[in-house]
Amino acid sequence: MTEYSFKQVDVFSSVPCKGNPVAVVVGADTLTTEQMANFASWTNLSETTFLLKPTLPQADYRVRIFTPKTELPFAGHPTLGSCHAWLASGVQPKGSTIIQECGIGLVAIRRDTEKLSFAAPPLLRSGHVEPVVLERVAKGLKIPLSAILASSWADNGPGWLAIMLGSRKEVLALEPDYAALSDMKIGVIGRWDPVQDGVDAQFEVRAFAMGAGVAEDPVTGSLNAALAQWLIGTGRVPVKYIASQGTILKREGRVYIEKIAESIWVGGVTRTQISGIVTL
């Protein structure tokens, strides 16, 4: 048994314990894949990550990302939480931009006084959703097919399928049949009404990740990145906006989206909630 530095980081909220937690094991190079998977299953968080020495010269560190069921090539809130834990360990990046190595390759991360932001990686799959699949999604979400204003595959690693509804109210009203969608990962977005909903955010997002062993994820960086690439790319949303997520789960997630030149940056506040030692 070996002791490792451990942090549990809350991501995407300025309010303590109202974002999405990720468990981070630092200096985990001696752990086997089986040990990592077992620990991720034990934490039972949506993701657990392991910080390792990079294998690529450009990278500052490498990360492996596990859900309770499987390993992911990329995920958003674990990227920011892992970067937060890496910086908290006292190391310094090689340049002004932090470079993370993970299953999909290199991901750029920038930091300012309050937030960390990652550059959205290229989509692995995009475009038209097959009618039979969309009908299944509508049935599983218990909504008429006509309620879906737009849809697209939006896979940047986890396998997201994205749909747009007409309003925040419609998004929050969803009560999915999780069993009917057990092998899928569905992201839903709807616009805030500034009169009824306020101006704290412009869009509401929910992430149903049954295929990863999570019924609903509180705040999801990978999904918000994919949504932004799809919706900014098709002119349906502005190049800068704030997404709210986690409302139904009593969270106060806020994801900051901004397109700068050709890159879409996905950011949020990160904070250490638990710091200590884990024995594995």
Side-chain angles (χ1 to χ4, degrees):
M1 304 290 281
T2 304
E3 291 185 341
Y4 299 88
S5 176
F6 172 83
K7 292 189 183 299
Q8 191 158 307
V9 182
D10 201 28
V11 182
F12 289 131
S13 183
S14 59
V15 183
C17 302
K18 289 294 186 178
N20 198 358
V22 60
V24 186
V25 179
V26 181
D29 297 88
T30 59
L31 290 175
T32 66
T33 297
E34 182 180 12
Q35 287 175 306
M36 293 180 187
N38 286 341
F39 184 63
S41 177
W42 180 79
T43 67
N44 203 34
L45 295 174
S46 58
E47 282 97 4
T48 299
T49 70
F50 301 85
L51 294 181
L52 312 163
K53 295 176 182 176
T55 63
L56 299 174
Q58 311 98 304
D60 290 297
Y61 64 89
R62 181 164 65 101
V63 66
R64 294 182 69 179
I65 304 168
F66 289 78
T67 74
K69 284 189 174 182
T70 189
E71 183 172 5
L72 298 177
F74 171 75
H77 100 272
T79 289
L80 298 188
S82 296
C83 183
H84 176 100
W86 183 78
L87 290 169
S89 69
V91 292
Q92 292 296 321
K94 298 172 183 177
S96 57
T97 299
I98 302 156
I99 304 297
Q100 171 183 285
E101 178 185 348
C102 57
I104 61 164
L106 299 176
V107 177
I109 304 168
R110 63 179 188 176
R111 54 178 170 171
D112 58 31
T113 53
E114 293 186 342
K115 300 188 296 291
L116 291 172
S117 304
F118 66 84
L123 292 176
L124 304 176
R125 183 182 184 185
S126 61
H128 178 69
V129 179
E130 300 81 353
V132 65
V133 176
L134 201 58
E135 288 173 8
R136 182 185 169 200
V137 169
K139 184 177 180 181
L141 293 178
K142 304 177 185 177
I143 57 175
L145 187 60
S146 59
I148 300 176
L149 302 185
S151 64
S152 179
W153 288 103
D155 180 15
N156 50 15
W160 295 110
L161 182 158
I163 66 170
M164 187 176 212
L165 301 183
S167 68
R168 181 192 193 214
K169 182 179 179 180
E170 292 175 61
V171 173
L172 295 178
L174 292 174
E175 296 181 356
D177 179 349
Y178 295 111
L181 302 170
S182 61
D183 60 335
M184 303 190 75
K185 298 170 187 174
I186 301 169
V188 186
I189 187 170
R191 192 179 299 272
W192 275 38
D193 182 317
V195 176
Q196 295 181 2
D197 304 317
V199 295
D200 188 48
Q202 288 76 56
F203 295 91
E204 190 74 29
V205 170
R206 293 179 72 180
F208 305 112
M210 297 73 60
V214 181
E216 182 167 357
D217 195 45
V219 202
T220 318
S222 64
L223 173 59
N224 276 282
L227 287 169
Q229 286 167 295
W230 165 43
L231 296 171
I232 291 175
T234 55
R236 289 184 170 91
V237 302
V239 296
K240 184 176 181 179
Y241 65 86
I242 301 171
S244 165
Q245 192 179 347
T247 304
I248 293 296
L249 301 177
K250 309 301 182 185
R251 307 293 177 89
E252 297 181 27
R254 294 294 183 271
V255 183
Y256 296 80
I257 301 293
E258 184 174 14
K259 182 178 182 182
I260 302 175
E262 298 304 311
S263 296
I264 291 176
W265 293 88
V266 181
V269 176
T270 59
R271 66 174 68 239
T272 300
Q273 296 292 160
I274 302 172
S275 183
I277 299 295
V278 62
T279 303
L280 296 172

